[in-house]
Amino acid sequence: MFLNPWLLGGVTLIAVPIVLHLIMRQRPRHIEFPALRFVRQAKEQNRRTYQLRHWLLLFLRMAVIALLAFALARPTMQASGWLANRTAPVDAVLLFDTAAHMGYRHENRTRLDAAREIADWLLEQLPEESRVS
């Protein structure tokens, strides 16, 4: 299940690298030197190497676009069974930024005070026997 399933339409953008790959393919250049067999052999070897690199680059581009589309669709997981047991204890870590910018005051309270209030609320929501650091 996804929070934004319509963003999965972004997977269709996989076609963009395919089209670019087909358009940007270089046509082989013909070198007409009858006595240079070495040039032809090197050219064939380079063609194979570049062809493999182009395929790998194409698949890499497609994977990046697909992963970006899935990430933007914000996947969620609805657990069942023991994962869905909201009374089971959890281990949680609360990390606070104590840099100077957290001392910024807005409506007569600092950002650090607001973070503490949110942490207190979260601690109340945790099941019994939860461990918090």
Side-chain angles (χ1 to χ4, degrees), residues 9 13 29 31 36 43 46 61 66 72 76 83 105:
L13 292 177
R29 291 177 284 175
I31 301 173
L36 296 176
K43 178 181 169 186
N46 284 342
R61 287 175 178 162
L72 290 175
T76 60
L83 285 176
R105 289 194 168 274

Side-chain angles (χ1 to χ4, degrees), residues 14-22 52-65:
I14 288 176
V16 172
I18 295 172
V19 171
L20 287 175
H21 176 78
L22 294 174
L52 177 63
R53 285 183 184 173
H54 285 294
W55 281 110
L56 289 175
L57 184 61
L58 172 65
F59 290 129
L60 181 63
R61 287 175 178 162
M62 291 168 55
V64 166
I65 290 173

Side-chain angles (χ1 to χ4, degrees), residues 5-55:
W6 59 272
L7 284 176
L8 287 177
V11 173
T12 60
L13 292 177
I14 288 176
V16 172
I18 295 172
V19 171
L20 287 175
H21 176 78
L22 294 174
I23 290 174
M24 304 286 287
R25 272 195 332 197
Q26 294 181 352
R27 302 291 182 246
R29 291 177 284 175
H30 296 285
I31 301 173
E32 307 247 350
F33 295 110
L36 296 176
R37 188 173 4 154
F38 174 73
V39 172
R40 282 191 222 125
Q41 289 173 350
K43 178 181 169 186
E44 181 63 25
Q45 188 176 12
N46 284 342
R47 185 186 66 79
R48 289 182 195 147
T49 302
Y50 284 123
Q51 188 175 22
L52 177 63
R53 285 183 184 173
H54 285 294
W55 281 110

